Amino acid sequence: MFISDETLRVIHLVARYQSITSAAEQLNKVPSAISYTIKKAEEALGADLFIRKGRYIELTPAGSYFIEHSKTILTDMDALRRNTVLVHDGIERELTIAANNIIPPAVLAALIADFERQFTSTTLTVSLEVYNGCWDALYSRRADLVVGAPHAVPSTEGIISEPIGQMEWDFVVSPQHPLAGARHPLENTELRQYSAICIRDTSVNFTPLHAWLLEGQKPLFVPDFAMAIALIEQNVGIGYIPHHLALPLLNSGTLLKKPMREHKHATKLFLAARSDGMGKVCRWCMDYFQQPETRARLSGG
């Protein structure tokens, strides 16, 4: 048994209007053609779909079942047709972007809003990774594109990458912390006695990294910078915070920035994607993140 999508649409239209004549007018066909289509479908199914009542017709119980359960078939056929054209045109059906957790959320929100207006049929997934987890997501194919991957490209084979700036860090403590009054550059020996607030690297296949952790120092792992800042404010530990997150807290006096004898270097950020199978959507995203204004915002500017 085979029923075409055209036949399905005719049956659904007749059921909606409860009239063969009205359905025929909508389709610019004669009523006899609609009646013939329904008859052939009923013969193929071996069941009556409609009860004729003069000028109007009603669904039988079998017809009601048929209408309800064929809706998804029509939807799937529309999606199949649409997605086939998209693939032919080089537009990905799905795209996954892995972003470094130090990237300002507002930049990602702006990207998502513009993306949804540009690619209405592509499903976008944005995930957050920590440190080498960005590279791991790309090389293990958990992501098609990474934004803000740190330091350097592990291997250039099969990878397209672009530098997009660098992220500055501030070492901060609470105003009530024992180190708050220190005016000299802090030495590592002074810092080891306090827990380092860390966010665990999400990498599985690459060497895990930390924003800052001294040898012999106790780490305290937290899920994100919101928790890290809250714990530093409460004197639970100390650590580095991206400058764009620290600045409003420094201006309000909530946190204090302290000089370090061995200050953490700025983190170089990269935009990277796999070269194989790159479609129009991924290329659009790479171009988007390389716009001068967007690049400045990625680094917290």
Side-chain angles (χ1 to χ4, degrees), residues 4 8 33 48 66 83 87 104 106 121 129 140 146 179-180 226 247 293:
S4 68
L8 286 176
D48 292 334
F66 182 87
N83 290 331
V87 172
S121 298
E129 301 288 345
S140 64
V146 293
L179 296 175
L247 185 59
E293 181 179 350

Side-chain angles (χ1 to χ4, degrees), residues 21-187:
T21 301
S22 297
E25 291 174 353
Q26 291 294 319
L27 296 171
N28 293 318
K29 293 186 177 182
V30 295
S32 58
I34 303 300
S35 296
Y36 179 79
T37 298
I38 293 175
K39 179 182 177 182
K40 299 302 291 184
E42 290 176 329
E43 290 176 353
L45 290 166
D48 292 334
L49 299 177
F50 296 95
I51 301 173
R52 278 69 176 176
K53 291 187 175 182
R55 294 174 53 195
Y56 297 97
I57 59 177
E58 295 178 356
L59 287 167
T60 65
S64 296
Y65 175 89
F66 182 87
I67 291 294
E68 181 63 29
H69 290 271
S70 60
K71 289 178 182 177
T72 55
I73 296 175
L74 283 174
T75 301
D76 290 344
M77 294 180 78
D78 287 339
L80 176 62
R81 185 181 296 106
R82 182 173 62 252
N83 290 331
T84 299
V85 173
L86 291 176
V87 172
H88 178 267
D89 292 341
I91 297 176
E92 301 93 313
R93 288 184 56 199
E94 300 179 358
L95 187 78
T96 299
I97 298 176
N100 194 327
N101 71 322
I102 62 179
I103 297 298
V107 182
L108 298 177
L111 173 276
I112 294 170
D114 290 340
F115 184 101
E116 285 297 289
R117 287 189 287 267
Q118 187 74 20
F119 301 104
T120 56
S121 298
T122 300
T123 300
L124 175 65
T125 300
V126 179
S127 63
L128 291 182
E129 301 288 345
V130 181
Y131 304 114
N132 268 346
C134 297
W135 293 119
D136 189 73
L138 182 65
Y139 285 87
S140 64
R141 296 183 179 273
R142 288 188 288 112
D144 305 297
L145 174 71
V146 293
V147 184
H151 302 306
V153 183
S155 171
T156 58
E157 184 176 356
I159 298 296
I160 298 173
S161 65
E162 295 289 343
I164 51 174
Q166 59 183 27
M167 182 71 70
E168 299 289 345
W169 297 80
D170 293 331
F171 180 79
V172 294
V173 300
S174 164
Q176 288 75 44
H177 195 274
L179 296 175
R183 297 183 179 278
H184 61 280
L186 298 173
E187 303 282 353

Side-chain angles (χ1 to χ4, degrees), residues 277-291:
M278 178 183 289
K280 293 181 180 179
V281 178
C282 188
R283 171 55 62 187
W284 181 89
C285 290
M286 290 199 73
D287 292 341
Y288 182 97
F289 283 118
Q290 291 182 80
Q291 297 175 53

